[in-house]
Each structure stands twice: as structure tokens, then as C-alpha cells.
Amino acid sequence: MLDTSRFNRRRLIPAITVLWIVGFALIYLWQTDSLTQIQLFVRAPPSTPPPPPPPLPSQPAPRGYRAVVYNLTDFGGVGDGKSVNTEAFERAIAAIKIYEDKGGGQLNVQAGKWLTAPFNLTSRMTLFLEEGAVILGIQDERYWPLMPPLPSYGFGREQAGPRYGSLIHGQHLKDVIITGHNGTINGQGKSWWTKHRKKLLNYTRGPLIQIMWSRDIIISNVTLRDSPFWTLHPYDCKNLTIANLTILAPVRGAPNTDGIDPDSCEDVLIENCYISVGDDGIAIKSGWDQYGIAYGRPSTNISIRNLTIRSVVSAGISIGSEMSGGVSNISVQNIHIWESRRGVRIKTAPGRGAYVKNILYRNITFDNLRVGIVIKTDYNEHPFGYDPKALPDIKEISYFGIHGTGVRVPVRIQGSPEIPIRDVVFQDMSVGITNRKKHVFQCSYVEGRVIGYIFPAACENLDIYNERGELVRRSDSQNVSDIDYSF
């Protein structure tokens, strides 16, 4: 029989060769045509000159992080402490904004002193302060923009009408990080404090950093110092992490330099910070009297842990006094407060309205304080037109593991007939006192209980339970007042 397979293979070889040659020719022609089109596109002059592009990134961004990384010097920044760098910051942030939908960008502030007027951040941005980098706020208030009053405050906190903006500002942002290798943001607040005392300012001073109506914010690993007013003020923000900060101001002569003031914020973590300032180390707020009641945004779900705080003229950690949107679900744990006027404080008044509830203090150490635990219900500082019949509800306050030495008055809880304080719990408390005067555990119009042994002995307003949770003594003296401000 004739073998046809060899014959068929011989016929296929020329056909395959022809197809290979045709395919190669088509690929060559396609590439040549494409190159011609690209060359024509590049050489064709545009009808109008395009705007100059931003400078190329100084370095590739870390994979999975920001799309681009710039240095401030890419935009003409000069870190000599004298040149004003506001335009450099603004140009850099505008360049980062272009990449907002592509992962955002990082701005590196290198070692040096970078003088600037206030500037605004953008979403999906990282502001990174390298070791030795110092951002300096310009001291002439004419360079600080005026802003409308906060809606939950009605007007400037110090003056009617507008208020000064913050040195670093942002509104309606998402995914913003301020971090670094412990670089510094310095508000150079001394001139502001002096003008405030001399009543030379027409508007309320501005914070160092204020982020408003934003979410997914991280502020970490930097030093904040000498703010003109409150240092770090997140306002109506959600999902906020503040960690590993050093916050400094003179402990005297630096009025209202609170460290961290979360204001109408939700889902906040504050941890591993050192704070030594001229007012409250932390003050949780939610609006002022009728304006805060109308705005109606509480501060809630806030965890504060692992802090060391010094506040010679005020308190380590406060709630209020501006709490008219409500404050709830607050955890304060593992805190060391030293050389301060007060330790942990809740302050409010008739007119504030709203509530403070479900507050936990655990593992708090006092070292050389005038008063350790404070609840005050007559903090009378109000805007014009407030309603004195708007009474706050204060309840569910727990103190577990409170220890310390050198405390003049360990507890002062001052309720009133209008604002009684309910459901207060003490357990595992031992605070060394500076003298043996009586009435160092002071109470007024308070209801609650003590579980197990505590020192000093509790006021008669509270029920006593043993370690097993069994009632030992029921108090019938909740309305007794034993408040003594003479020492």
C-alpha cells in the first residue's frame, strides 16, 4: 500500500513557511504604523499650551501605600527658619490632590525649620516630618485666616464673631496621616498668649491642628508644641487614631493650650502619648449650651490608654465642660497623672443639657495632685441666650484601680439638687493623702456604691458592698453635702 503520510507532511512544510512569513510581515507593518502614529502624536503641536506639570516624585512610594512621594524642597521650600514656605506647602498639596483617586501622595518635610502661614491638607495624604524637621507657625496673626464659628459653639470661644483658623487645617477629608520620625509642629504660641492676656486680639485664637468633618485619620510619632490655643482639635470626625505623640506647652502662662480635644467625635483611639501643657491634657467635648444641643453630635466610643500627663493649672483628663451634644462610652485606662491640679474630671452646668454616661476609669495613678477625682456641676461659663433649664444627666461612672500618693483631696464629687449624680462605682482604690484632715472623700447629691475596701474611706452617700458583691450598708444620705474647698 502507498504510504501517503510522508507525502502529506511534505505538502504542509511550504504552507507553514508561507504563513510564518505573512505573520512576520503583518507584525512588522503594525509596529511601524504604531510608531509612526506615536511620533505624529508627539510632534503635533497642541492648540493651547498645557499647564506645567508638577515635579516628578522625589522617590517611589512604598508598594500598596501612596502613589507618589514628594519632598517640600521639590516645590521651592527653604528650611532656614526665615523664608516663608506657605506657597511651597500649597503647591505640594495641590500636586498630591491630583493622585487622590490613585492612592494619594506623601509629602516629606526634611530636617530644617520651615516657617509657614496656615495651610490646608487634602484627602489621601501623608504629611511626614523627618527627624529634625520643624514646621513653625508664623507669628503675625494677619497671616492667619478667619473662619466662621463652629456650628456647635455659636461664636468664637473667646470672642463673638469669627475665629482664627488652625496652622494645619482640613475639612471633609478621608484617609489623612500626619506622622514622621518625631519631627515637630511648633505654633510659636508665646506671642498669642501675650496678646491674649493684654486683650489685643479681636478674635478667638486658633488651634495648632484642626481636622473637621473627616474620617480615617491617623496622627502619630510627632511632637506638637506651643499652640496658640487648643493643640489638637478633631471636630465631628470618625475613626481617628492618635498615638505616640509628645505634646508640650509651658505649664504656666500658656492659657487654653489643651493637649487633645476630641469634639463631637466617634470611634477614637488615643494611646501612648506624653502630654505636658498649660490647660487640660485631654478634654472631651461636644458643643456649647444651646448651640451644642441643636447641633446634636455626641462624642462616643473613645478609648484613652497608656498616657503620661502633667497639667499644673488644670486637669489631666477632662470631660466637658462643653458637652452639650452628649458624651458616652468612654474608656480611660493605664494613665499616670503627675504634678497636676486635678487628675480626672467631669465638668458641666445647668444650660449644658445632654448627658455624660457609661464612663470607665481603670488603672489610674496620681502623683502629687491637689484633687484626684472631680465631678463638678456648676461650671458656669455660658454663651448669651442659653437655657438654664437645660440640665445634663450624669450617670454610670466607674472608677476601678485608682492609686497614688501625695494627693490633697482624692475625691470631690459635687452634684446638686438640679443635677444629681447617679450610679457611681468605686473598687480597688488606695490613694495616699498629704494630710490627715477629714472630708478628703467629698460628696454632694451622689448615688452609687463602693465594692470592697478602699482608702480613704468613702463618703456616707454611697452604698457599701463587700468583695463578694454582697450589700453591707445601704446609704440613706445621697443628698448630704460634704464639699469643702478650704484645702
Side-chain angles (χ1 to χ4, degrees), residues 66-101:
R66 300 303 190 191
V68 293
V69 178
Y70 294 114
N71 291 330
L72 188 60
T73 51
D74 297 337
F75 300 87
V78 179
D80 60 4
K82 299 178 182 178
S83 303
V84 178
N85 292 281
T86 314
E87 184 177 350
F89 277 108
E90 290 174 343
R91 289 182 59 221
I93 293 167
I96 288 172
K97 187 174 179 60
I98 295 172
Y99 294 90
E100 184 175 329
D101 296 331

Side-chain angles (χ1 to χ4, degrees), residues 139 154 211 255 271 330 416 427:
Q139 294 176 287
I211 309 295
E271 64 177 355
I330 310 297
S416 69
Q427 185 175 18

Side-chain angles (χ1 to χ4, degrees), residues 120-136:
N120 295 312
L121 303 177
T122 190
S123 288
R124 293 184 172 84
M125 172 184 176
T126 298
L127 178 64
F128 190 95
L129 280 72
E130 297 181 2
E131 184 178 3
V134 182
I135 296 176
L136 293 171

Side-chain angles (χ1 to χ4, degrees), residues 11 58 63 88 96 125 128 130 186 279 283 349 379 384 442:
R11 292 184 62 185
S58 297
R63 182 171 296 179
I96 288 172
M125 172 184 176
F128 190 95
E130 297 181 2
N186 187 334
D279 208 306
Y379 200 85
F384 177 77
Q442 302 178 8

Side-chain angles (χ1 to χ4, degrees), residues 180-194:
H181 291 150
N182 202 33
T184 298
I185 302 172
N186 187 334
Q188 301 200 100
K190 185 176 181 180
S191 64
W192 292 89
W193 310 329
T194 300

Side-chain angles (χ1 to χ4, degrees), residues 411 413 421 423-426 441 443 446-450 454 457-465 471 473-478:
V411 177
I413 300 179
I421 299 164
D423 198 10
V424 176
V425 181
F426 287 89
F441 197 121
C443 298
V446 57
E447 172 268 320
R449 62 193 182 277
V450 174
I454 67 171
C459 60
E460 60 180 303
N461 307 61
L462 303 177
D463 298 337
I464 304 298
Y465 288 76
L471 179 65
R473 178 181 63 82
R474 177 80 67 186
S475 173
D476 58 1
S477 306
Q478 288 89 355

Side-chain angles (χ1 to χ4, degrees), residues 437-458:
K437 287 188 175 183
K438 296 180 180 180
H439 313 308
V440 293
F441 197 121
Q442 302 178 8
C443 298
S444 174
Y445 290 91
V446 57
E447 172 268 320
R449 62 193 182 277
V450 174
I451 302 174
Y453 173 81
I454 67 171
F455 182 86

